[in-house]
Amino acid sequence: MISDDDIRRVREATDLVNLVQETVVLRQKGREFWGRCPFHDEKTPSFKVDPRSQLFHCFGCHAGGDSYGFVMRTQNMDFIDAVRYLADRANITLTETKGSVQTGKRQRLQELMKASAEFYALQLLRSTEAGSKAARAYLSGRNMGTELAKRWQMGYAPGGTMLFDHLRGKGFTAEECLDANVAVKGQRGYIQDRFYERVMFPVADLQGRVIAFGGRVIGTREPKYLNTSETLLFHKRETLYALDKAKAAISSQGTAIVVEGYTDTIAMHEAGFTNAVATLGTALTIEHLKLLNRFAKKVIYLFDGDEAGTRAAVRAAELITQDITPEAGRFRVMLEVAELPPGSDPADLLAKQGAEALQAVLDQSTPLVRFAIQHSLKKANLASPEGRHAALRSALQVLLPIRGSILANTYIADELAPQLGVEYSQALALFNGLQAPRAQGQAEQVKDQSEQAKDQSSPSNTNLQNELLVLYIEYPETRELLAEAFERVTWDGEDLPKLAKALTAADKTAESSELYARALDAAPAYAPVLSTGLRQTLSGSARDHAFLLMYMLRESQLLNEIALAKIAYAKALDGNAGNTLFREIAEKQSELAVIREKLAKVPKTFL
């Protein structure tokens, strides 16, 4: 476990503006910084970072929070990993007490993988053994010299038990070596290195920590490439080679290029295509796309010009989902495919024809849906009516996962129907009659989203209470007034009263930054709400705005209380109970009239 003091130290050591600027272009306006939200598509910047409160908020998608929340969303981490990430960034050593066995094991495996990478690198660069010389010769033949090998932490695995013995000497157990999959048990039960006589490519997580290896054999043995199996640290369906190096370029360019090899990725980076990543022994997956979608607006899947590349291109049709349609909004993935000339891969093309030739291939990338449709039509016999009908059915199958979308209807109307010589209405009728893809719960999801949008359209009691708390933090002249008022407020939920108590317990002259820190310590999960700040920009006095908010809150509460009392009055059977409820309603309506009169007299305090 990580102590509260360490969590506070890391938060205080992290400047949110600098952190956000690593992935978002920010422009300063007054004391705040604005940019385009990294969590949804937008043309007009609505993403705000406030250096005083150290909070961010998007007025478009309503995402908000502190530095931990930003890292958790952008790096796909849980809270503990976000603390560790920011601690590393700030050069702070965390003192972790005994927590879960899983957490301790993960840390040990990370240390083991780091030690393994260092061992492999030393074997490649320093060893005079024949295997190391052969590895250096192989890399030299691929135009990968010593400096490049250092930049990419490449290494060489001699095999036998050399790595295993080295790790045991550093205090790692045999079980840990097996769990990290750098060692395996042989047929007779002896433990030996998993990788032998291979050039090694370390695979890192988003923070640059080694979590797996890929090994390319020296010679002609099979398999040519061998990857780490699934471990606690490594899941190949969720990991992309070089994403730790490429994420900044992907964010700035808005495009990611996905290839299928380590050397191809390295060659592309060295040639200036620093937004390239690679899959690891698997085709591109939905999990990969979700990961890339945090950094990229468009993904180009680049296939080799051979039979394996063709098979991968065909399998890519499985990635057609509702996430690629225009209606998908901020979750939309613009997925395109590009095919290299027959018999070539990216590294070969770069070596023979240069970066311009590869860029020309990328410029010809095709949307995945169009590619999949055209591929389904390649073997069709379009000369006969029967052939065209079969081709239409085949192409419509491609669109089934996105049925009902604008994209599917557009492809049918603009491309399929004209190309196959059928009426749009006939093609659409056939399409609607095909077996539907699974879409369970979609209607309920739309309904829920509609209700959520409706709830956000006007200030609720909770919204007004949030704004009172922010006003207390931001404007010291309101604190005496609001501290007294807070004692009379019936707070919503559990966090709001905690926040109010934490704020009023502090010195009334405290800096706003200190109060924000106190609020986050009292209720960390409430950071996204505090990040919204005031709903509107003040143009009048803060005290007037405090009165305005208090009157609005009381008006809202009275309306709710009157509505509930009227329901109870309508159901009251006992005469005395009915009379009591009637008097209660009358008193509340009288107070409501007074509150509304006060509201009418309060100066307008916002723009």
Side-chain angles (χ1 to χ4, degrees):
M1 300 293 288
I2 301 175
S3 69
D4 291 340
D5 286 341
D6 276 353
I7 292 172
R8 187 178 300 108
R9 279 199 308 135
V10 172
R11 181 188 286 121
E12 291 172 353
T14 302
D15 180 74
L16 184 61
V17 174
N18 290 336
L19 176 67
V20 173
Q21 282 181 325
E22 292 177 5
T23 52
V24 179
V25 177
L26 296 176
R27 298 285 185 268
Q28 187 168 4
K29 295 181 181 179
R31 70 178 181 88
E32 298 166 346
F33 291 79
W34 293 79
R36 294 183 181 178
C37 180
F39 309 125
H40 79 289
D41 292 327
E42 62 177 9
K43 295 182 179 179
T44 303
S46 63
F47 182 83
K48 178 188 80 173
V49 181
D50 186 346
R52 182 163 61 170
S53 67
Q54 288 293 299
L55 295 170
F56 72 89
H57 184 77
C58 175
F59 292 91
C61 68
H62 307 291
D66 61 356
S67 55
Y68 292 132
F70 185 80
V71 169
M72 289 166 70
R73 290 183 67 108
T74 56
Q75 305 288 354
N76 194 25
M77 295 179 177
D78 60 21
F79 178 75
I80 296 300
D81 280 343
V83 176
R84 291 180 182 133
Y85 173 82
L86 291 177
D88 288 343
R89 186 176 176 274
N91 294 318
I92 292 175
T93 301
L94 298 174
T95 304
E96 297 194 43
T97 57
K98 288 185 179 180
S100 69
V101 175
Q102 196 82 333
T103 299
K105 184 175 181 179
R106 178 184 292 272
Q107 186 172 354
R108 285 286 294 173
L109 293 186
Q110 287 172 344
E111 293 169 358
L112 185 151
M113 296 301 279
K114 180 181 178 183
S116 299
E118 291 170 349
F119 171 83
Y120 288 143
L122 195 64
Q123 296 300 310
L124 176 67
L125 299 174
R126 301 278 182 87
S127 175
T128 58
E129 295 296 324
S132 297
K133 291 180 179 179
R136 290 194 289 269
Y138 165 78
L139 292 174
S140 178
R142 304 280 294 189
N143 296 318
M144 296 182 180
T146 301
E147 292 305 315
L148 184 147
K150 288 180 180 179
R151 282 199 299 275
W152 288 86
Q153 297 179 280
M154 293 159 65
Y156 173 69
T161 61
M162 289 187 65
L163 174 64
F164 178 62
D165 293 340
H166 174 77
L167 294 174
R168 290 298 301 274
K170 284 186 165 292
F172 295 102
T173 67
E175 182 182 3
E176 288 172 334
C177 293
L178 293 171
D179 288 342
N181 199 228
V182 296
V184 293
K185 277 189 178 180
Q187 292 181 350
R188 297 182 181 180
Y190 296 115
I191 296 178
Q192 61 191 41
D193 294 353
R194 171 173 172 78
F195 299 97
Y196 63 96
E197 296 179 1
R198 291 177 182 270
V199 173
M200 301 300 289
F201 300 88
V203 178
D205 63 12
L206 284 173
Q207 290 73 57
R209 298 173 298 200
V210 178
I211 59 173
F213 292 100
R216 204 282 186 192
V217 71
I218 302 297
T220 58
R221 287 183 293 106
E222 293 293 337
K224 181 185 291 186
Y225 283 97
L226 181 65
N227 296 316
T228 298
S229 299
E230 298 279 312
T231 69
L232 179 63
L233 299 179
F234 174 60
H235 305 286
K236 64 183 179 181
R237 292 182 59 85
E238 302 171 4
T239 307
L240 290 163
Y241 178 64
L243 184 55
D244 59 312
K245 291 180 170 61
K247 62 183 181 182
I250 293 172
S251 294
S252 63
Q253 297 177 35
T255 300
I257 306 168
V258 180
V259 297
E260 296 186 294
Y262 301 104
T263 55
D264 289 331
T265 307
I266 294 171
M268 290 180 69
H269 275 252
E270 296 300 314
F273 298 92
T274 54
N275 57 335
V277 297
T279 54
L280 298 161
T282 179
L284 190 66
T285 66
I286 293 295
E287 291 82 2
H288 289 144
L289 287 177
K290 289 179 179 178
L291 177 62
L292 287 172
N293 196 31
R294 288 160 39 197
F295 306 100
K297 304 300 181 187
K298 181 171 76 172
V299 177
I300 299 177
Y301 198 3
L302 181 60
F303 301 113
D304 291 351
D306 56 16
E307 186 178 346
T310 301
R311 288 196 301 268
V314 174
R315 288 199 305 271
E318 298 173 5
L319 297 170
I320 297 174
T321 69
Q322 291 289 344
D323 291 333
I324 69 174
T325 66
E327 301 95 308
R330 66 189 174 110
F331 298 108
R332 183 186 181 196
V333 179
M334 293 178 61
L335 180 56
E336 299 188 355
V337 297
E339 291 184 285
L340 289 159
S344 65
D345 60 34
D348 290 335
L349 188 65
L350 286 168
K352 295 174 182 177
Q353 300 183 42
E356 296 81 5
L358 181 56
Q359 186 60 57
V361 171
L362 296 172
D363 290 342
Q364 295 299 314
S365 62
T366 304
L368 174 62
V369 176
R370 178 175 289 119
F371 171 85
I373 288 174
Q374 294 305 318
H375 190 275
S376 73
L377 298 177
K378 278 184 178 180
K379 296 181 180 179
N381 176 16
L382 304 184
S384 68
E386 292 81 5
R388 288 193 295 274
H389 178 76
L392 178 60
R393 288 184 65 90
S394 176
L396 291 176
Q397 292 285 345
V398 173
L399 297 172
L400 271 180
I402 56 173
R403 179 156 59 189
S405 68
I406 295 172
L407 189 64
N409 291 343
T410 301
Y411 269 107
I412 295 171
D414 295 351
E415 299 197 16
L416 277 177
Q419 184 175 349
L420 298 175
V422 299
E423 294 292 332
Y424 167 69
S425 58
Q426 294 175 322
L428 187 61
L430 177 60
F431 185 46
N432 290 332
L434 295 176
Q435 184 176 355
R438 294 180 181 178
Q440 187 175 0
Q442 283 185 347
E444 289 80 358
Q445 184 180 7
V446 171
K447 181 179 179 182
D448 289 343
Q449 292 173 344
S450 175
E451 292 300 323
Q452 290 172 6
K454 188 187 298 181
D455 291 341
Q456 293 173 353
S457 62
S458 60
S460 64
N461 288 355
T462 302
N463 291 339
L464 292 169
Q465 292 172 13
N466 295 338
E467 195 159 354
L468 279 170
L469 292 171
V470 174
L471 191 71
Y472 184 98
I473 295 172
E474 294 282 357
Y475 294 91
E477 64 268 32
T478 69
R479 291 174 186 169
E480 290 292 345
L481 170 67
L482 289 178
E484 181 182 348
F486 286 175
E487 296 177 1
R488 301 191 300 272
V489 172
T490 303
W491 298 99
D492 293 345
E494 298 179 0
D495 284 330
L496 286 171
K498 290 180 185 177
L499 291 173
K501 185 176 181 180
L503 294 176
T504 54
D507 190 327
K508 297 293 188 297
T509 61
E511 292 291 329
S512 296
S513 58
E514 180 183 339
L515 292 185
Y516 272 115
R518 280 178 171 267
L520 292 173
D521 288 337
Y526 223 69
V529 177
L530 287 178
S531 71
T532 60
L534 300 179
R535 285 185 299 113
Q536 293 136 321
T537 303
L538 294 188
S539 62
S541 82
R543 283 180 60 85
D544 283 345
H545 194 64
F547 279 113
L548 180 67
L549 290 176
M550 288 189 293
Y551 293 153
M552 290 174 67
L553 177 60
R554 185 56 186 153
E555 178 189 37
S556 178
Q557 290 176 333
L558 281 170
L559 288 170
N560 289 338
E561 292 169 4
I562 290 170
L564 291 173
K566 284 183 175 180
I567 293 172
Y569 177 72
K571 295 180 179 179
L573 300 177
D574 180 77
N576 291 331
N579 290 335
T580 301
L581 286 168
F582 182 81
R583 285 194 299 272
E584 180 183 333
I585 292 169
E587 289 170 0
K588 291 183 183 297
Q589 286 177 327
S590 177
E591 183 183 355
L592 180 62
V594 173
I595 290 294
R596 284 178 167 169
E597 183 179 352
K598 290 180 178 180
L599 269 172
K601 294 179 180 179
V602 174
K604 296 298 180 184
T605 54
F606 48 82
L607 296 175

